[in-house]
Every structure is written in C-alpha cells, then in structure tokens.
C-alpha cells in the first residue's frame, strides 16, 4: 500500500486509490468478459482513479485493453534497472536484471519476476491479483472503488458523462432487483384491474423500492467502515447502519408479504385484526402459527411463490434476520469488536450477534459464509461475525430473494389483459431499457 496510507481513511479521499491489476492473473476473465472484470474495465475507463494493468503477451487480451483505452504498463531495461512506464507512472521499480533468475522465478510461480517486483513496490495503494499472496481479490477491489466513488461524491456513467447520486441510487436498485422494474411497469398498465387496492399496491411497491435503495446505502456504509483502517471510532457507525439494515430487511419482507396479499387477493387487510397473520416467516420453524393461514391462502392462489418462500434456503434466510432485529429492538444490543492482525492494516471489525442467529443459519447455510468467526467466537464464548463478509452476503441473498419474488408475480396471468395492453407494456419496457425515464412523470421516477 503506497506510503502505508489507506485512501478510504479520509472522506472525501485526499487522493484516489491507485490500483495495479496483475493482468496475467485474469487472462480468462478478460477474454470471457466476465461481469466483475467488465465492471473493473468500465471503472478504469472513467479515469477517476489510476487503474494500471501489467503488460501481457496475450494478443486477445492486449486488443481488449487497447479497445477500452486502458492504462497498460510497459517495462524497459535501462542500464542495470527496470523502468515502468504508463500514463500514471514512469519510475524505476527493480534492479533484478539476471535473466536466469527471471526464468526460474516464472517457472516456479507462473508469472514474471518484473510483475512481482512491481506489485511489491510502493507506488500503488493496492494490487489486484490471485497469483500473489500480497494481492487483494477483484471482488474486494471493486468494493474499495465503490466506496471511494460514493463517499467522494463521484458519480459517472462514462468518462465525460457526470450524473448525480439520485440517478446512481436508481440505477443501483435496478441493477440488484431488475425484475422489480418489469413488475412495476406491468402494474402501472393494469392497475385499473385493482380498483379497490390500486393505491395501496402502488404505495407498497414504492416502499419496497425505497427500502431496497436504503439497504444498498447501508451496505455501502458498512463496507466503508470495514475497508478503511479499523479503529474503535467505527463502532457507533457500524451499530447505527447495521441496526437500520436489519430493520429495513424485515420491512422489505413485510412489503413483499402485503404486495402478494393484495395482488392475489388472499383476504387479509392492513386495517383489520387479521393483519398479524401476514408474515413471510415459515409457520413451522419459528413454531408460531401466525403465518399458517397466510401460506394456506397463498398455496391456493400462487403455488410457485409459496413453494419458493417455504423452500429450505429461503425460509432460513427469512427466519434468521428476525432474532437479530428483535435483539436490536427489544433485548441486548449488538456490540462491535476490533480484532488486531499482524499489523494495523490487517485489523478486522467483528460484531457480536445473539446465538439464535447462528442456530437458525445452520438449518441451511454454513454460518462462516455469513462471516461467522469461529475461532474468535470460541475464545470469547460469544458469537462474532466479520461485518464486511456479513453485510455483503446478506445483501446478495436479500436482493436475490426480492428479485425472484418480483419475477414470480405474473400480473398478466392474474388479470385480463388485452393484446394492445401487452404491446404497450412491451414497448414501455423496451423504451426504459434505452432511457430509464422516458415518458414518465417526475413522481414516478423513484419507482423506476
């Protein structure tokens, strides 16, 4: 890390994170155009921070990097030193010039000695590699770049196209739950088929969108606290954003339950006593019968949705967040813990959760996939989780659940739809694929 400085420690960052991509580690990802690498290439093309690729002999990869006008380093031997030259950097980086040593190193490690020497240098904050033990993963690099851009207020779609946080938040929601947009478009065109509950359904859909947007923002904040240099000062920020995240997630479950209720006419009402029965929790595992009537009605009207929500994975995901939310609201509050590594940059931010969280997770998941720190938990006789891993995993699983349920709600199969309406729906979807705001009134922006 350059000058032992973490660019995320100051907001806005005093300097942009400089990243060196070890191209040889990602030849297949670049050739195949895998989503994570495409995202990194797009960010590199924005020219908002230095992202430099090491040289490669692969002609296909060379062409892709050139086509995207990326900063690719070159090595030159000058006297008894190697020089690296790129748009960002022109400097000496190695005095190892023995050709036999270079051949032996590459044969043993699978990448060049010059790459290794440059990655070990102090010119970059991070180097991205899965060949070198000193490198960070592509996934972590993308999180660092996301946090840097959001916290510094840099929002760009293309190198010369600046947007704002409002549009960025909309784009992010559409990215993580793309089926929501299709559902809202369909509802907007057939809402007259729900004369009694159209406004209620529209408000619930809007609320689901807003909660997902706020979930996205909470996760960015938790990444930020985890990726900067960990100190005890982060404790209150983590407690705040994690507490809000738990409430938002359970709120999104309630939104889904009520959207399904009114669209499929399950017979429950927000204004009547039977509202306590509208829950997505599996009535078997919590040993509560509140949602039994809800799922019986749902199985009759929408078997596919019922089967999905009651599946082992999804019911486990829904159930485990409630003990956490209940602890936050009613019992012992969550508690952060800073754990020291070999040096300050390796410190981790852990969070204490009630034991019930792990007990529910074990029904389907390995708790470690949610960041459960088994060694530290054993030492402390309490359950601790790595907040960085936890927030990322929870975000992925929750947005996948919301997106899947939105995709399973087939409005055109529920209400009569004319050929003209279907054509108009398809035209609107096609138009919005090109321009997300075409033909919409300002008050509809958030829903899209």
């Amino acid at each position: 890390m350059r000058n032992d400085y973490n660019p995320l420690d100051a907001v806005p960052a005093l300097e942009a994170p400089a990243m060196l991509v070890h191209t040889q580690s990602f030849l297949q990802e670049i050739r195949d155009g895998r989503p994570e690498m495409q995202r990194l290439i797009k960010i590199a093309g924005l020219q908002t921070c230095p992202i430099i690729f090491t040289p490669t002999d692969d002609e296909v990869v060379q062409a892709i990097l050139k086509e995207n006008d990326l900063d690719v380093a070159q090595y030159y031997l000058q006297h008894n030193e190697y020089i690296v030259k790129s748009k960002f950097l022109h400097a000496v980086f190695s005095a190892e010039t023995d050709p036999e040593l270079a051949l032996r190193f590459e044969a043993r490690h699978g990448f060049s000695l010059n790459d290794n020497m440059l990655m070990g240098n102090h010119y970059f904050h991070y180097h991205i590699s899965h060949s070198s033990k000193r490198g960070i993963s592509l996934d972590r690099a993308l999180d660092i770049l996301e946090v840097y851009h959001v916290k510094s207020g840099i929002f760009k779609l293309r190198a010369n196209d600046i947007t704002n946080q409002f549009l960025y938040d909309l784009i992010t929601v559409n990215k993580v739950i793309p089926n929501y947009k299709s559902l809202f478009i369909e509802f907007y065109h057939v809402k007259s088929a729900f004369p009694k509950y159209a406004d209620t359904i529209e408000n619930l859909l809007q609320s689901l969108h807003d909660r997902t947007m706020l979930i996205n923002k909470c996760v960015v904040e938790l990444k930020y606290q985890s990726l900067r240099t960990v100190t005890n000062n982060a404790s209150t920020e983590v407690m705040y954003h994690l507490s809000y995240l738990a409430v938002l997630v359970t709120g999104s479950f309630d939104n889904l339950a009520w959207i399904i209720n009114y669209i499929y006419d399950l017979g429950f009402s927000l204004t009547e006593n039977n509202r306590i029965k509208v829950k997505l929790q599996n009535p078997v595992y919590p040993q509560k019968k509140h949602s039994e009537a809800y799922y019986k009605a749902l199985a009759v009207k929408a078997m596919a949705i019922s089967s999905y929500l009651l599946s082992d994975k999804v019911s486990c995901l829904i159930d485990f967040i409630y003990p956490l939310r209940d602890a936050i609201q009613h019992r012992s509050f969550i508690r952060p813990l800073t754990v020291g590594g070999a040096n300050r940059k390796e410190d981790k931010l852990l969070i204490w959760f009630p034991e019930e969280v792990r007990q529910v997770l074990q029904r389907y998941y390995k708790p470690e996939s949610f960041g459960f720190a088994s060694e530290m938990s054993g030492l402390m006789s309490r359950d601790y989780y790595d907040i960085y891993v936890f927030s990322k995993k929870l975000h992925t699983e929750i947005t996948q659940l919301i997106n899947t349920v939105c995709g399973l709600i087939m409005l055109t199969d529920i209400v009569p739809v004319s050929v003209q309406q279907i054509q108009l729906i398809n035209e609107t979807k096609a138009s919005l694929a090109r321009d997300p705001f075409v033909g919409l009134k300002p008050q509809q922006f958030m829903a899209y």
Side-chain angles (χ1 to χ4, degrees):
M1 186 174 292
R2 186 169 61 181
N3 300 325
D4 292 326
Y5 170 68
N6 185 336
L8 299 184
D9 285 349
V11 176
L14 298 179
E15 59 179 297
M19 295 189 170
L20 178 69
V21 183
H22 184 220
T23 309
Q24 195 69 23
S25 294
F26 301 102
L27 295 179
Q28 199 62 50
E29 289 90 336
I30 297 172
R31 289 194 209 104
D32 295 346
R34 294 181 189 173
E36 294 83 4
M37 181 53 66
Q38 285 187 319
R39 186 178 165 204
L40 179 66
I41 288 173
K42 181 176 180 180
I43 295 172
L46 297 178
Q47 301 174 14
T48 52
C49 54
I51 301 177
I52 296 84
F53 290 75
T54 57
T56 177
D57 293 330
D58 189 297
E59 294 182 357
V60 174
V61 172
Q62 285 178 351
I64 293 171
L65 298 180
K66 183 177 180 180
E67 179 185 352
N68 287 277
D69 193 27
L70 302 184
D71 192 1
V72 181
Q74 297 296 324
Y75 302 147
Y76 298 95
L77 181 59
Q78 180 176 301
H79 305 301
N80 292 318
E81 296 176 318
Y82 272 103
I83 308 293
V84 60
K85 186 176 181 181
S86 76
K87 297 175 185 176
F88 167 70
L89 181 66
H90 188 186
V92 175
F93 72 95
S94 175
E96 294 287 353
T97 60
D98 184 343
E100 292 186 6
L101 175 62
L103 288 173
R104 289 197 303 271
F105 182 91
E106 187 159 3
R108 180 182 300 175
H109 299 281
F111 58 95
S112 76
L113 178 60
N114 276 341
D115 284 356
N116 184 65
M117 297 302 291
L118 183 59
M119 285 188 287
N121 224 296
H122 66 280
Y123 297 119
F124 300 92
H125 296 110
Y126 311 94
H127 70 265
I128 309 168
S129 169
H130 53 60
S131 300
S132 169
K133 294 180 180 179
R134 293 174 294 181
I136 64 171
S137 68
L138 177 57
D139 188 51
R140 191 176 185 90
L142 290 171
D143 286 335
I144 291 168
L145 290 168
E146 177 188 25
V147 169
Y148 164 71
H149 285 86
V150 171
K151 297 298 289 183
S152 299
I154 301 172
F155 303 103
K156 300 179 75 173
L157 299 176
R158 287 168 289 274
N160 299 314
D161 186 3
I162 298 175
T163 184
N164 55 47
Q165 184 159 6
F166 172 74
L167 295 182
Y168 171 82
D169 289 339
L170 293 182
I171 292 168
T172 303
V173 172
N174 287 340
K175 180 180 177 181
V176 297
I177 53 169
N179 289 338
Y180 171 87
K181 183 165 67 174
S182 294
L183 173 60
F184 194 94
I185 290 169
E186 290 181 9
F187 174 76
Y188 185 73
H189 286 91
V190 302
K191 61 190 299 185
S192 60
F194 301 91
K196 189 175 179 181
Y197 299 118
D199 289 343
T200 300
I201 296 171
E202 187 167 355
N203 288 334
L204 287 166
L205 285 168
Q206 179 68 64
S207 183
L208 179 63
H209 177 282
D210 293 347
R211 281 190 168 90
T212 304
M213 179 185 67
L214 294 173
I215 286 171
N216 293 343
K217 294 170 82 71
C218 277
V219 171
V220 169
E221 290 294 336
L222 290 170
K223 287 180 185 177
Y224 167 59
Q225 297 299 336
S226 302
L227 292 170
R228 65 194 304 206
T229 302
V230 174
T231 67
N232 290 328
N233 294 335
S235 297
T236 54
E237 290 296 318
V238 168
M239 292 165 68
Y240 173 81
H241 292 294
L242 185 59
S243 303
Y244 191 29
L245 177 62
V247 173
L248 288 169
V249 169
T250 52
S252 71
F253 292 161
D254 292 342
N255 274 144
L256 283 174
W258 283 106
I259 289 167
I260 293 167
N261 170 72
Y262 283 113
I263 286 179
Y264 287 95
D265 194 20
L266 301 186
F268 304 94
S269 173
L270 282 163
T271 60
E272 296 178 8
N273 290 335
N274 64 10
R275 64 181 178 272
I276 64 171
K277 299 181 179 181
V278 179
K279 292 182 178 295
L280 290 192
Q281 282 183 284
N282 189 319
V284 175
Y285 287 113
Q287 298 180 337
K288 297 176 182 178
K289 299 299 182 181
H290 291 316
S291 60
E292 190 172 26
Y294 179 83
Y295 273 103
K296 283 183 178 179
L298 182 60
V300 173
K301 297 289 185 72
M303 176 58 76
I305 297 176
S306 177
S307 298
Y308 174 74
L309 292 173
L310 292 176
S311 66
D312 291 343
K313 176 182 178 179
V314 176
S315 64
C316 176
L317 180 65
I318 292 170
D319 288 345
F320 99 87
I321 198 70
Y322 282 94
L324 177 57
R325 195 238 10 217
D326 292 345
I328 291 169
Q329 292 187 329
H330 306 299
R331 300 194 302 275
S332 301
F333 205 77
I334 54 178
R335 298 173 188 173
L337 175 70
T338 301
V339 178
N343 58 65
R344 190 161 174 252
K345 295 193 290 291
E346 295 176 2
D347 290 355
K348 289 185 178 181
L349 193 59
L350 303 183
I351 200 83
W352 169 68
F353 286 158
E355 188 178 337
E356 303 99 286
V357 172
R358 174 170 49 87
Q359 291 173 344
V360 177
L361 276 176
Q362 287 175 161
R363 283 190 352 224
Y364 183 87
Y365 296 94
K366 291 183 177 179
E368 288 78 8
S369 70
F370 276 83
F372 176 65
S374 55
E375 184 176 350
M376 180 56 63
S377 298
L379 288 172
M380 300 294 290
S381 299
R382 282 183 170 178
D383 283 6
Y384 281 96
Y385 291 73
D386 184 323
I387 191 60
Y388 175 70
V389 177
F390 177 84
S391 58
K392 281 172 59 67
K393 177 67 171 177
L394 179 62
H395 185 237
T396 298
E397 297 290 341
I398 291 300
T399 52
Q400 182 180 332
L401 185 156
I402 294 171
N403 189 56
T404 300
V405 173
C406 286
L408 289 172
I409 298 174
M410 309 299 293
L411 279 171
T412 53
D413 292 341
I414 299 170
V415 300
V417 183
S418 66
V419 174
Q420 291 80 6
Q421 282 179 306
I422 291 177
Q423 183 178 355
L424 187 57
I425 288 170
N426 291 335
E427 287 175 356
T428 304
K429 288 180 181 179
S431 296
L432 285 168
R434 296 188 297 269
D435 180 351
F437 306 114
V438 65
L440 298 180
K441 300 174 182 177
Q443 62 266 32
Q444 296 167 335
F445 281 180
M446 285 303 292
Y448 284 85

